[in-house]
Amino acid sequence: MARHIYPCPLRWSDMDAFGHVNNVTFLRYLEEARVDFMWRLAPGNGSDAFTGGVVVARHEIDYLKPLVHRHSPVTVETWVTEIKAAYLTLRYEIKDEDALYVRAATRIVPYDLDQSRPRRVSPEEEKFLTEYLEPDPVKKGAGKAAAKSGRSAGGVGGAERPEGAVAV
Protein backbone atom coordinates (compact mmCIF):
# COMPACT_ATOMS: atom_id res chain seq x y z
CA MET A 1 0.00 0.00 0.00
CA ALA A 2 1.24 3.43 -0.94
CA ARG A 3 0.00 6.98 -0.80
CA HIS A 4 0.65 9.65 -3.36
CA ILE A 5 2.35 12.64 -1.71
CA TYR A 6 1.83 16.05 -3.28
CA PRO A 7 3.48 19.18 -1.85
CA CYS A 8 0.89 21.90 -2.46
CA PRO A 9 1.99 25.55 -2.33
CA LEU A 10 -0.24 28.10 -0.64
CA ARG A 11 -0.94 31.32 -2.47
CA TRP A 12 -1.72 34.69 -0.91
CA SER A 13 -4.97 34.73 -2.89
CA ASP A 14 -6.07 31.47 -1.20
CA MET A 15 -7.03 33.38 1.96
CA ASP A 16 -10.49 34.73 2.64
CA ALA A 17 -11.63 37.76 4.64
CA PHE A 18 -11.14 35.81 7.88
CA GLY A 19 -7.41 35.34 7.22
CA HIS A 20 -7.44 31.61 6.58
CA VAL A 21 -7.54 29.45 3.46
CA ASN A 22 -11.04 29.57 1.99
CA ASN A 23 -13.09 26.37 2.01
CA VAL A 24 -13.42 26.35 -1.79
CA THR A 25 -9.65 26.62 -2.15
CA PHE A 26 -9.28 23.23 -0.48
CA LEU A 27 -11.14 21.75 -3.47
CA ARG A 28 -8.45 23.24 -5.70
CA TYR A 29 -5.74 21.64 -3.54
CA LEU A 30 -7.49 18.27 -3.90
CA GLU A 31 -7.75 18.81 -7.65
CA GLU A 32 -4.05 19.62 -7.95
CA ALA A 33 -3.13 16.44 -6.07
CA ARG A 34 -5.63 14.32 -8.06
CA VAL A 35 -4.36 15.64 -11.40
CA ASP A 36 -0.77 14.96 -10.35
CA PHE A 37 -1.76 11.44 -9.26
CA MET A 38 -3.90 10.47 -12.27
CA TRP A 39 -2.29 12.35 -15.16
CA ARG A 40 1.35 12.58 -14.18
CA LEU A 41 1.98 9.53 -12.04
CA ALA A 42 -0.30 6.96 -13.73
CA PRO A 43 0.94 7.48 -17.28
CA GLY A 44 4.50 8.02 -16.07
CA ASN A 45 5.36 4.42 -16.91
CA GLY A 46 4.11 4.74 -20.50
CA SER A 47 0.58 3.71 -19.59
CA ASP A 48 -2.50 5.23 -21.21
CA ALA A 49 -4.44 4.97 -17.93
CA PHE A 50 -7.01 7.75 -17.50
CA THR A 51 -6.30 9.27 -20.91
CA GLY A 52 -9.93 8.54 -21.77
CA GLY A 53 -11.03 11.05 -19.15
CA VAL A 54 -12.78 11.08 -15.81
CA VAL A 55 -15.43 13.21 -14.12
CA VAL A 56 -15.96 14.03 -10.47
CA ALA A 57 -19.28 12.69 -9.22
CA ARG A 58 -18.98 13.66 -5.53
CA HIS A 59 -16.79 15.50 -3.05
CA GLU A 60 -16.92 15.13 0.71
CA ILE A 61 -14.77 17.36 2.92
CA ASP A 62 -14.29 17.58 6.66
CA TYR A 63 -12.58 20.81 7.70
CA LEU A 64 -10.68 20.04 10.89
CA LYS A 65 -8.51 23.09 11.55
CA PRO A 66 -8.05 26.53 9.96
CA LEU A 67 -5.05 26.85 7.67
CA VAL A 68 -3.37 30.25 7.36
CA HIS A 69 -1.03 31.41 4.64
CA ARG A 70 2.65 30.63 4.97
CA HIS A 71 5.53 30.07 2.58
CA SER A 72 5.94 26.33 3.13
CA PRO A 73 3.60 24.00 1.24
CA VAL A 74 1.09 21.65 2.82
CA THR A 75 1.16 17.96 2.02
CA VAL A 76 -1.79 16.38 0.26
CA GLU A 77 -1.78 12.60 0.68
CA THR A 78 -3.98 10.73 -1.79
CA TRP A 79 -4.92 7.07 -1.81
CA VAL A 80 -7.65 4.80 -3.18
CA THR A 81 -10.28 3.27 -0.91
CA GLU A 82 -12.67 1.79 -3.44
CA ILE A 83 -12.42 0.44 -6.98
CA LYS A 84 -15.69 -0.59 -8.61
CA ALA A 85 -16.46 -1.40 -12.24
CA ALA A 86 -17.77 2.10 -13.01
CA TYR A 87 -16.22 4.35 -10.34
CA LEU A 88 -13.47 4.73 -7.78
CA THR A 89 -13.10 6.62 -4.53
CA LEU A 90 -10.04 8.64 -3.58
CA ARG A 91 -9.36 9.80 -0.03
CA TYR A 92 -7.12 12.66 0.96
CA GLU A 93 -5.52 14.28 3.96
CA ILE A 94 -4.21 17.83 3.81
CA LYS A 95 -1.64 18.29 6.54
CA ASP A 96 1.82 19.30 7.63
CA GLU A 97 4.12 18.01 10.36
CA ASP A 98 2.09 19.86 13.02
CA ALA A 99 -1.57 19.47 12.06
CA LEU A 100 -4.23 17.74 10.00
CA TYR A 101 -6.39 20.39 8.32
CA VAL A 102 -8.73 18.44 6.05
CA ARG A 103 -9.95 14.92 5.40
CA ALA A 104 -11.75 14.47 2.10
CA ALA A 105 -13.03 11.98 -0.44
CA THR A 106 -13.84 12.19 -4.14
CA ARG A 107 -15.86 9.76 -6.22
CA ILE A 108 -14.42 9.57 -9.73
CA VAL A 109 -16.27 8.16 -12.73
CA PRO A 110 -14.21 7.15 -15.78
CA TYR A 111 -15.56 8.96 -18.80
CA ASP A 112 -15.36 8.34 -22.53
CA LEU A 113 -14.73 11.80 -23.99
CA ASP A 114 -15.40 10.69 -27.58
CA GLN A 115 -18.77 9.11 -26.74
CA SER A 116 -19.69 11.67 -24.04
CA ARG A 117 -20.70 9.01 -21.54
CA PRO A 118 -19.39 7.13 -18.50
CA ARG A 119 -17.20 4.09 -19.10
CA ARG A 120 -15.77 1.22 -17.06
CA VAL A 121 -12.47 1.28 -15.16
CA SER A 122 -9.96 -0.33 -17.51
CA PRO A 123 -7.80 -3.28 -16.35
CA GLU A 124 -4.71 -1.07 -16.71
CA GLU A 125 -6.29 1.64 -14.52
CA GLU A 126 -7.34 -0.92 -11.94
CA LYS A 127 -3.81 -2.30 -11.81
CA PHE A 128 -2.39 1.18 -11.19
CA LEU A 129 -5.05 2.06 -8.59
CA THR A 130 -4.56 -1.21 -6.68
CA GLU A 131 -1.03 -0.08 -5.75
CA TYR A 132 -2.64 2.76 -3.75
CA LEU A 133 -5.59 0.81 -2.32
CA GLU A 134 -6.19 0.99 1.44
CA PRO A 135 -9.28 0.12 3.47
CA ASP A 136 -11.53 3.12 4.03
CA PRO A 137 -11.06 4.14 7.68
CA VAL A 138 -14.26 6.22 7.66
CA LYS A 139 -16.54 3.43 6.45
CA LYS A 140 -14.84 0.89 8.69
CA GLY A 141 -15.25 3.16 11.73
CA ALA A 142 -18.81 4.16 10.82
CA GLY A 143 -19.90 0.53 10.57
CA LYS A 144 -18.48 -0.32 14.01
CA ALA A 145 -20.01 2.74 15.65
CA ALA A 146 -23.38 1.99 14.05
CA ALA A 147 -23.29 -1.62 15.21
CA LYS A 148 -22.66 -0.50 18.81
CA SER A 149 -25.40 2.14 18.79
CA GLY A 150 -27.95 0.20 16.74
CA ARG A 151 -28.19 3.02 14.19
CA SER A 152 -27.42 2.93 10.48
CA ALA A 153 -23.89 3.92 9.49
CA GLY A 154 -25.26 6.59 7.19
CA GLY A 155 -26.36 8.98 9.92
CA VAL A 156 -28.82 11.78 9.19
CA GLY A 157 -30.20 11.61 5.67
CA GLY A 158 -27.85 8.74 4.81
CA ALA A 159 -24.77 10.99 4.74
CA GLU A 160 -21.64 9.36 6.07
CA ARG A 161 -19.59 11.32 8.61
CA PRO A 162 -16.27 10.44 10.16
CA GLU A 163 -16.00 9.91 13.86
CA GLY A 164 -16.26 13.21 15.69
CA ALA A 165 -17.97 15.09 12.82
CA VAL A 166 -20.96 17.13 13.87
CA ALA A 167 -24.21 17.56 11.90
CA VAL A 168 -25.40 21.15 11.65
Side-chain angles (χ1 to χ4, degrees):
M1 291 186 282
R3 289 187 179 190
H4 175 254
I5 307 298
Y6 178 74
C8 185
L10 280 67
R11 294 156 290 267
W12 182 257
S13 61
D14 293 347
M15 287 192 304
D16 62 16
F18 301 110
H20 54 72
V21 173
N22 184 275
N23 64 311
V24 174
T25 301
F26 282 103
L27 282 171
R28 290 187 193 110
Y29 295 168
L30 301 178
E31 178 185 49
E32 286 180 35
R34 185 173 60 254
V35 165
D36 191 64
F37 175 64
M38 297 178 85
W39 282 280
R40 184 194 60 81
L41 192 62
N45 62 1
S47 161
D48 66 348
F50 304 110
T51 58
V54 298
V55 294
V56 170
R58 175 185 170 91
H59 283 300
E60 183 178 314
I61 301 177
D62 293 309
Y63 301 95
L64 305 173
K65 186 176 180 179
L67 175 60
V68 296
H69 182 268
R70 81 278 183 97
H71 296 291
S72 59
V74 289
T75 299
V76 182
E77 290 188 10
T78 306
W79 67 98
V80 180
T81 58
E82 192 173 31
I83 306 169
K84 299 293 184 180
Y87 69 87
L88 59 116
T89 303
L90 299 178
R91 284 232 170 247
Y92 316 82
E93 289 181 345
I94 299 177
K95 60 188 178 178
D96 58 26
E97 59 280 343
D98 298 323
L100 175 60
Y101 301 99
V102 164
R103 281 193 183 109
T106 302
R107 177 160 292 171
I108 303 289
V109 175
Y111 198 77
D112 184 325
L113 298 171
D114 294 331
Q115 306 252 340
S116 297
R117 64 181 182 86
R119 64 175 177 81
R120 300 290 191 189
V121 174
S122 74
E124 189 171 9
E125 291 165 342
E126 184 174 1
K127 181 181 177 197
F128 167 76
L129 294 167
T130 301
E131 295 177 38
Y132 295 89
L133 186 62
E134 291 183 23
D136 189 338
V138 174
K139 286 188 178 181
K140 189 168 88 174
K144 287 180 182 177
K148 285 183 182 178
S149 69
R151 294 177 293 172
S152 73
V156 177
E160 296 174 8
R161 284 190 295 278
E163 231 174 274
V166 179
V168 289

